[in-house]
Amino acid sequence: MSTPASQHYAPLEWSAYLDGELPAARRNAMREHLRECPSCAAILRSFEAVQRGAEQLAQEPAPTQPQLRTRLIAVSAAIIARSRSRQRWLLWLGLIVSVVIITGLTAALWHGMTQPRATTAAVAASKVRVTLDRVLITRYFVEPPSLEYDVTIHNGDARPLEIIRVIVSDPLGEKERPVASALRVEPGQTLQRVFSRPVGENAQLRPGRYRILLETSDGRLVDEKVVP
Amino acid sequence: MTELDVETLRRCRRGNPAALGMLYDCYRRPVYYLARRMVGEMEAEDVCQETFIAVFRSVAKFEGKSKLSTWVLAIATRVCLMHLRKRRRLNTAAEPTDAAEAEPMTLLSPSHELLNKEFLKRLADAMDRLPENQRMVVSLRSFEEMSYEEIARAMNCRLEQVRATLFRARCRLLKFLEGH
Ligand SMILES: [Zn+2]
């Protein structure tokens, strides 16, 4: 027996049905429908296979790390026990630092390998400069999207570069806006930074001029990028 | 996932090492699994350690408004997102988009031997190809205690978003599994 397409339930609903996330009346009606509709039943079966598979994967045991476990618990227990102490936060900081150092070594090495090397050969032309490498809108799931400026600041001078303020402007309707302050770039240092400002939920990268301006103790450094 | 009993939780708050060990053992597997899926094997251990540091640090403040497992997984979710965010700063590779797809959905062909090793391996590979938020929702939903509401709370988004994202993720997984 075939059912007219208009009477089928949407796949989105079968996904929610599988998770038990529908009101009881809806759920019951859908269960009835399943008995006479092979095409809806096939949709549900497909979602179910994926879900059961994912549950199965989540049962995988984690690798054991007895030494890390012992250290983490011993130090945490001591900290909680002394939790009224004034230096509590220092102890936590110590723990975080030590754990990050131990476990983060591999990651650090990996980052070191993948991070682009600072270019030192090509910058001799001007001693101190800022380059706006690119602009983009990044969407993070838990925060509002942000307009991000990837910037390289190079200090080829013999003295430290003192940046008082970093100001950006863009064609999204916002005029100049400070995004950072009090930065220092040591002599010979090339700094790669991302400056960002939050934008609206539906913001898109518009064509136009995107500008970064550094107010330094010696004047201004500017670079801009035109998005076509 | 078993929940920690009230007495053990009370001892955790006072910093009893045996109780903290029980808490760790109780949730290490799901936390590690989430981390493994979200940031990969290389960084999973880091995420796991950072999560438990945060859990132990704030267990005294846990009010029992949600299940302990949900609370721990919500903390793990934040730590994962922080790591992903840091990585994005260093990486210029484009992230697959999470655009709504209006294509007809792919059904799983009956030839699949469900839940055998080969199927699970292909599913795991397919999950690793999902965009971040889809991967996060599917991974959290792999734990039976995570309802839409609890996933929404962990990810700090609306319940409707969980429903829609999970649906899109499942459609895409089916597509990958069927080799499109
Ligand atoms: Zn139907």
Side-chain angles (χ1 to χ4, degrees):
Chain A
M1 168 169 36
S2 74
T3 315
S6 60
Q7 289 171 21
H8 293 304
Y9 291 93
L12 174 65
E13 283 208 89
W14 286 117
S15 176
Y17 175 92
L18 175 66
D19 297 318
E21 296 275 351
L22 290 172
R26 190 73 174 168
R27 198 179 155 71
N28 292 337
M30 286 173 78
R31 190 183 298 133
E32 284 301 308
H33 178 78
L34 270 186
R35 288 204 225 164
E36 56 192 36
C37 182
S39 57
C40 282
I43 292 173
L44 178 61
R45 241 194 334 271
S46 291
F47 284 149
E48 200 170 9
V50 166
Q51 176 59 23
R52 297 294 161 256
E55 286 169 10
Q56 194 72 32
L57 286 174
Q59 293 301 318
E60 284 167 14
T64 53
Q65 291 279 3
Q67 281 176 331
L68 278 175
R69 178 188 183 278
T70 307
R71 184 194 308 262
L72 181 65
I73 290 165
V75 182
S76 300
I79 295 168
I80 297 171
R82 271 184 282 172
S83 65
R84 283 175 208 286
S85 144
R86 261 189 242 159
Q87 279 114 27
R88 178 173 45 168
W89 68 272
L90 263 181
L91 286 163
W92 278 114
L93 194 68
L95 173 62
I96 291 169
V97 167
S98 66
V99 169
V100 165
I101 286 172
I102 298 159
T103 66
L105 222 59
T106 47
L109 281 171
W110 181 74
H111 283 323
M113 285 186 290
T114 53
Q115 198 169 14
R117 294 262 160 257
T119 47
T120 46
V123 291
S126 69
K127 277 187 171 177
V128 178
R129 63 166 201 186
V130 58
T131 315
L132 179 52
D133 300 316
R134 58 172 194 164
V135 285
L136 70 165
I137 288 182
T138 310
R139 290 172 202 285
Y140 299 113
F141 206 56
V142 291
E143 293 162 49
S146 59
L147 174 63
E148 305 196 332
Y149 291 71
D150 285 4
V151 172
T152 307
I153 305 168
H154 175 73
N155 180 12
D157 206 350
R159 10 180 230 128
L161 171 66
E162 302 283 356
I163 299 164
I164 301 157
R165 280 204 308 171
V166 179
I167 297 165
V168 296
S169 62
D170 56 67
L172 296 181
E174 289 282 338
K175 286 293 158 204
E176 298 198 331
R177 167 191 276 254
V179 285
S181 59
L183 277 176
R184 187 184 160 106
V185 188
E186 298 301 332
Q189 192 189 2
T190 302
L191 194 67
Q192 286 185 313
R193 283 285 298 262
V194 179
F195 299 107
S196 65
R197 71 170 187 84
V199 289
E201 212 49 64
N202 300 313
Q204 300 291 333
L205 199 64
R206 284 205 208 127
R209 197 177 298 274
Y210 292 76
R211 205 160 79 112
I212 183 129
L213 186 155
L214 311 183
E215 281 179 8
T216 77
S217 47
D218 299 325
R220 304 174 136 204
L221 291 172
V222 182
D223 193 32
E224 55 186 39
K225 204 161 203 77
V226 176
V227 172
Chain B
M1 210 183 310
T2 44
E3 293 288 331
L4 217 60
D5 62 284
V6 179
E7 178 53 30
T8 308
L9 186 59
R10 207 168 54 82
R11 287 190 294 134
C12 281
R13 292 197 175 109
R14 288 203 235 119
N16 177 295
L20 293 176
M22 283 166 81
L23 193 155
Y24 180 89
D25 294 339
C26 202
Y27 302 116
R28 174 166 165 88
R29 185 179 49 75
V31 168
Y32 186 88
Y33 177 74
L34 184 69
R36 162 71 191 76
R37 283 268 89 81
M38 293 313 297
V39 302
E41 212 156 345
M42 195 95 91
E43 275 180 68
E45 191 59 55
D46 288 6
V47 165
C48 210
Q49 296 294 321
E50 282 171 44
T51 299
F52 281 103
I53 289 174
V55 165
F56 291 158
R57 188 173 41 184
S58 44
V59 69
K61 284 182 267 170
F62 172 68
E63 291 170 338
K65 281 181 187 162
S66 63
K67 278 178 278 185
L68 186 62
S69 56
T70 312
W71 181 72
V72 171
L73 284 168
I75 293 176
T77 302
R78 305 250 152 90
V79 177
C80 285
L81 290 171
M82 260 161 50
H83 272 246
L84 289 170
R85 193 179 169 161
K86 217 185 307 170
R87 186 185 299 178
R88 223 162 358 208
R89 298 253 181 262
L90 302 170
N91 197 346
T92 50
E95 168 72 7
T97 58
D98 176 31
E101 288 150 83
E103 303 164 47
M105 68 167 287
T106 312
L107 294 177
L108 207 62
S109 63
S111 65
H112 278 287
E113 288 268 356
L114 296 183
L115 306 191
N116 73 4
K117 262 203 172 135
E118 173 59 23
F119 176 79
L120 292 178
K121 189 181 174 312
R122 289 181 54 195
L123 180 62
D125 291 345
M127 280 173 78
D128 289 343
R129 288 166 64 194
L130 291 176
E132 263 165 34
N133 55 352
Q134 292 185 9
R135 208 161 3 121
M136 183 67 91
V137 173
V138 170
S139 305
L140 287 172
R141 187 67 197 105
S142 321
F143 308 118
E144 54 182 306
E145 40 282 285
M146 296 296 274
S147 65
Y148 285 4
E149 198 188 330
E150 280 155 340
I151 295 172
R153 216 175 300 147
M155 294 181 68
N156 194 18
C157 67
R158 283 174 299 114
L159 193 143
E160 268 317 307
Q161 241 171 317
V162 173
R163 185 196 310 271
T165 308
L166 189 54
F167 168 66
R168 285 207 292 278
R170 283 168 172 165
C171 289
R172 199 177 281 209
L173 287 175
L174 286 166
K175 218 155 107 183
F176 289 154
L177 284 168
E178 289 298 319
H180 292 287

